[in-house]
Amino acid sequence: MYDVTLGPNVEREDISMNNQSETGSIILVVEDVNETRDGIEKLLQADGYRVTLARDEKDAIESAQREPPNLILVSVAGLPHEVVIAARHIRELAALGENVPVVVFCIAEIDEGDELAIGKNVYLTRPDNFNQLRTLLARLLNKISIAA
């Protein structure tokens, strides 16, 4: 659905990315394209996150039950509203609270580089580069650690 650019345009900015390694935040990545899933995993691990991977909704629920994530990142084929419903199901059926943010990659419906909060700690985003996604994830995970 969304292809993450892995080339030289991925910069390591000095935005609050260093506190992920201190918190050990776990991000569940739900992505149905192997190459994209692997690329997202490598980039997030480079930022110090612990990453668990899932191919689909069923796989994600099982993974989240084994090791509850701090954030769920969903990028699977489907219309945006269908993917949002699947993401909410993952959080609900894995018995995760609404305090676990869900970020849904989208290639339509919102402007590139924007994010849209669609309620109950669910965000629809279409970053035009990985640094925008990194910033969003850091901000959401920082909110969790401040509230805890």
Side-chain angles (χ1 to χ4, degrees), residues 40-61:
I40 293 171
E41 177 185 30
K42 287 177 184 154
L43 291 168
L44 292 176
Q45 285 176 336
D47 280 343
Y49 294 109
R50 291 176 45 211
V51 179
T52 55
L53 302 173
R55 295 177 307 278
D56 55 31
E57 186 176 339
K58 180 179 181 271
D59 193 27
I61 292 166

Side-chain angles (χ1 to χ4, degrees), residues 2-88:
Y2 187 87
D3 194 4
V4 175
T5 302
L6 300 175
N9 294 339
V10 177
E11 298 172 15
R12 298 291 178 224
E13 295 179 358
D14 272 338
I15 52 181
S16 62
M17 294 299 150
N18 291 334
N19 46 337
Q20 283 83 351
S21 57
E22 294 170 14
T23 64
S25 295
I26 300 169
I27 297 179
L28 171 59
V29 176
V30 186
E31 168 58 61
D32 52 357
V33 177
N34 291 338
E35 296 80 17
T36 304
R37 188 174 56 245
D38 294 344
I40 293 171
E41 177 185 30
K42 287 177 184 154
L43 291 168
L44 292 176
Q45 285 176 336
D47 280 343
Y49 294 109
R50 291 176 45 211
V51 179
T52 55
L53 302 173
R55 295 177 307 278
D56 55 31
E57 186 176 339
K58 180 179 181 271
D59 193 27
I61 292 166
E62 291 170 1
S63 179
Q65 288 172 334
R66 279 191 309 273
E67 184 171 28
N70 300 98
L71 184 142
I72 302 170
L73 178 61
V74 182
S75 173
V76 294
L79 297 172
H81 71 278
E82 294 169 344
V83 178
V84 168
I85 290 169
R88 286 181 173 157

